[in-house]
Amino acid sequence: MIRFSSVNKWYGRDHHVLKNINLEVKQGEVVVVCGPSGSGKSTLIRTINQLEPINDGEINVGGVIVNNPKTDINKLRADVGFVFQHFNLYPHLSVLDNITLAPMQVKKMSREAAEQLAMELLERVGLANKKHAYPANLSGGQQQRVAIARGLAMQPKVMLFDEPTSALDPEMIGEVLAVMQQLAESGMTMMVVTHEMGFAREVADRVLFLAEGEILEDTTPEAFFTAPQTDRARQFLRQILSPMHG
Amino acid sequence: MHYNWDWGVFFHSTGIGSEIYLDWFVKGLGWTIALSLAGWVIALLLGTVLGVMRTLPGKVLPRIAAVYVEIFRNIPLLVQLFVWYFIVPDLLPEGLQTWFKQDLNPATSAFISVVLCLGLFTAARVCEQVRTGIQALPKGQTNAAYALGLRIPQIYKEVLLPQAFRIIIPPLTSEFLNIFKNSSVASLIGLMELLAQTKQTAEFTANLFEAFTLATIIYFVLNMGLMLFMRWVEKRVRVPGLIALGGK
């Protein structure tokens, strides 16, 4: 579904942010990407829908080469859902209009069809009763669930999550992870940048560990948590699992 | 100061038909409003296009808009009016020139010059406000729209401009009021808008103080009314927490 072949990216001349990334994500697979801050994990998933362009190599999503200048990038993006750390809902639109905007604009769906779809998705994320609310009147957890519904409304082949729970109060993290878990169980192909190791352990098929732009580990959650291969990963796990003793 | 105030002067006959002086003020106000609204339409449309251009990716379009702004913002309004009225018509091709200078009613050609002048001058200022409004929005708004597959024109129309305009209503209100005040430059090329009618009344009646007092009141009430109207618009389109949201 997603394939990285020898992908490199630099910020400016000196900052080599992605180093020779080779990676394959199969259909229906859930891959958690973790690593210390600045390791390039957000950049990695942002290259998949070209929110960040790459300098070298090739990214293939469902048979489409992302970094080919001839590729219709908007068409590709419509097939790749993206959920941001800060939700990025449109504050001037109601919850319902936030979700129907892209299906109507990009897929030229009728308002009726788009609203019906939006209501189904809102049911799924448990917010059907909030359809007329504005984003500012929702809690962070609710906003992120709307953002997930908004992404799903394009009926994407892949969903990408960029630290979806990092901006949330602790008591709201669970509701968002529950929606994501349900989505994973429905067979969606997902890449999730997160520090939620519980989610990684229970939901992920694979864990990628990135440090300084390199994939240091690419393995099952089981293997990653019980027998990490690199010192860097062991150190990271020590810090993240017991922050008090970091 | 000994001055005999005579507020009845506005009801005296001007000696032209059955007109009284108050009629001149009403006509003048009519021209002032027509000039300003026509100029505002140009300013808002062109200013929005230029403001969008300034925020587009790439270099050429933003630069063109920036040059426009510098030219129209740095030359006094009155100089611009003289250019539009005295110089530009002479640069037109023969046919257009005759049409503009001879076939058109002098009031109409003056009207066209003033509307263009006010519109293009104010567009430069509207441009800067639209640009600021767009740039005040979190980058995440554009990214989220890109991620959903929206194209640049759709992003501006559906996501950026509706938010930017809500943010810039207060400074835009000032520009809207300014164009009404600036329209008084038209009196200098003989267009009989409110200020010109005031001066004429003062000359005909020698009641200078009454004439200018009335003009002052009319300008003031007009602008107060516009301001209240814009406030009402602002309230109507308000959405909760518009610029409180952050994100990248």
Side-chain angles (χ1 to χ4, degrees):
Chain A
M1 192 87 238
I2 304 173
R3 197 171 60 238
F4 281 67
S5 316
S6 313
V7 169
N8 281 284
K9 178 176 175 65
W10 285 265
Y11 281 132
R13 207 169 286 171
D14 302 326
H15 189 185
H16 198 172
V17 63
L18 293 178
K19 293 174 188 160
N20 194 33
I21 302 287
N22 288 289
L23 169 67
E24 179 148 11
V25 178
K26 294 194 194 70
Q27 177 141 16
E29 224 177 355
V30 176
V31 176
V32 159
V33 184
C34 63
S37 75
S39 58
K41 28 186 216 307
S42 283
T43 308
L44 178 78
I45 69 163
R46 278 165 184 255
T47 59
I48 297 170
N49 66 353
Q50 227 188 47
L51 284 180
E52 298 278 0
I54 59 172
N55 301 103
D56 189 21
E58 186 182 286
I59 302 175
N60 185 319
V61 177
V64 179
I65 296 166
V66 177
N67 53 309
N68 183 340
K70 286 185 193 138
T71 298
D72 181 350
I73 197 69
N74 295 88
K75 219 171 194 170
L76 172 95
R77 282 169 172 163
D79 282 337
V80 179
F82 199 103
V83 174
F84 295 84
Q85 181 178 3
H86 293 283
F87 336 132
N88 296 339
L89 293 177
Y90 306 126
H92 62 298
L93 299 178
S94 69
V95 163
L96 196 62
D97 291 340
N98 261 280
I99 300 173
T100 57
L101 179 70
M104 287 169 62
Q105 292 285 325
V106 179
K107 290 194 163 171
K108 308 296 173 200
M109 212 182 258
S110 73
R111 176 174 291 279
E112 272 179 6
E115 286 188 352
Q116 199 188 338
L117 172 65
M119 285 315 297
E120 281 166 24
L121 292 168
L122 281 174
E123 294 280 355
R124 214 163 135 187
V125 300
L127 289 170
N129 58 336
K130 296 287 186 188
K131 61 177 174 176
H132 295 306
Y134 282 98
N137 295 333
L138 301 179
S139 72
Q142 291 172 330
Q143 289 191 51
Q144 194 60 299
R145 281 145 68 197
V146 172
I148 293 172
R150 178 174 70 174
L152 290 175
M154 291 301 285
Q155 293 157 320
K157 296 178 187 147
V158 181
M159 283 289 280
L160 307 175
F161 295 81
D162 187 7
E163 304 204 27
T165 57
S166 302
L168 297 176
D169 291 335
E171 75 270 21
M172 292 170 185
I173 292 174
E175 65 191 64
V176 172
L177 292 179
V179 167
M180 289 167 60
Q181 177 159 17
Q182 181 202 357
L183 188 60
E185 284 161 4
S186 76
M188 177 63 77
T189 310
M190 292 164 64
M191 277 185 85
V192 183
V193 174
T194 186
H195 295 298
E196 292 300 326
M197 291 301 122
F199 179 83
R201 219 189 279 260
E202 281 172 41
V203 183
D205 298 308
R206 262 162 75 199
V207 175
L208 296 182
F209 176 75
L210 249 76
E212 284 153 29
E214 273 179 286
I215 297 181
L216 295 187
E217 312 244 347
D218 179 355
T219 178
T220 63
E222 170 82 23
F224 180 68
F225 289 112
T226 53
Q229 299 298 304
T230 56
D231 285 344
R232 199 71 191 78
R234 274 191 288 274
Q235 188 193 349
F236 173 77
L237 281 171
R238 259 201 314 277
Q239 280 170 348
I240 202 157
L241 296 175
S242 55
M244 298 294 285
H245 312 290
Chain B
M1 191 182 79
H2 295 286
Y3 184 82
N4 289 319
W5 292 88
D6 177 12
W7 294 104
V9 66
F10 299 119
F11 300 99
H12 293 174
S13 166
T14 59
I16 305 163
S18 57
E19 249 179 2
I20 55 174
Y21 287 107
L22 190 62
D23 292 331
W24 287 5
F25 284 83
V26 173
K27 271 195 218 163
L29 178 62
W31 277 110
T32 293
I33 291 174
L35 283 170
S36 309
L37 289 184
W40 184 243
V41 170
I42 295 177
L44 207 53
L45 292 177
L46 181 61
T48 304
V49 171
L50 290 165
V52 166
M53 278 167 68
R54 289 212 67 170
T55 60
L56 284 174
K59 282 190 176 157
V60 179
L61 292 175
R63 232 170 248 176
I64 292 173
V67 168
Y68 178 97
V69 169
E70 292 316 325
I71 291 174
F72 283 86
R73 201 165 55 168
N74 293 339
I75 300 171
L77 179 62
L78 197 50
V79 174
Q80 293 190 29
L81 178 61
F82 289 161
V83 170
W84 286 113
Y85 187 64
F86 295 116
I87 298 173
V88 170
D90 284 345
L91 304 175
L92 293 173
E94 197 81 32
L96 266 178
Q97 205 175 123
T98 341
W99 172 78
F100 190 81
K101 287 179 173 172
Q102 286 161 26
D103 300 354
L104 279 183
N105 177 329
T108 310
S109 54
F111 181 82
I112 293 172
S113 301
V114 179
V115 166
L116 270 179
C117 169
L118 288 175
L120 300 186
F121 173 79
T122 312
R125 309 177 56 97
V126 172
C127 163
E128 286 305 278
Q129 289 168 1
V130 170
R131 173 177 76 96
T132 317
I134 292 170
Q135 288 174 344
L137 300 172
K139 188 79 181 69
Q141 292 288 306
T142 312
N143 276 342
Y146 274 138
L148 287 163
L150 274 80
R151 290 166 199 280
I152 287 179
Q154 295 171 323
I155 296 177
Y156 275 92
K157 179 168 163 276
E158 305 292 335
V159 176
L160 300 179
L161 287 175
Q163 295 184 58
F165 271 112
R166 283 179 169 89
I167 298 173
I168 63 170
I169 286 177
L172 221 45
T173 302
S174 302
E175 286 318 318
F176 190 39
L177 266 55
N178 275 342
I179 206 167
F180 279 84
K181 291 178 273 185
N182 287 339
S183 69
S184 59
V185 295
S187 66
L188 290 160
I189 58 168
L191 189 68
M192 295 309 284
E193 48 63 76
L194 185 55
L195 181 61
Q197 299 283 11
T198 306
K199 286 195 283 189
Q200 185 168 263
T201 304
E203 281 159 22
F204 273 50
T205 62
N207 290 88
L208 184 91
F209 287 94
E210 289 85 344
F212 277 93
T213 306
L214 181 60
T216 305
I217 292 169
I218 293 175
Y219 276 120
F220 183 81
V221 170
L222 177 65
N223 278 311
M224 273 309 269
L226 294 170
M227 200 198 66
L228 292 174
F229 168 72
M230 290 299 284
R231 235 183 237 176
W232 173 81
V233 170
E234 190 181 356
K235 272 210 184 107
R236 264 203 67 130
V237 301
R238 184 174 293 169
V239 291
L242 180 56
I243 41 181
L245 298 165
K248 56 178 178 176

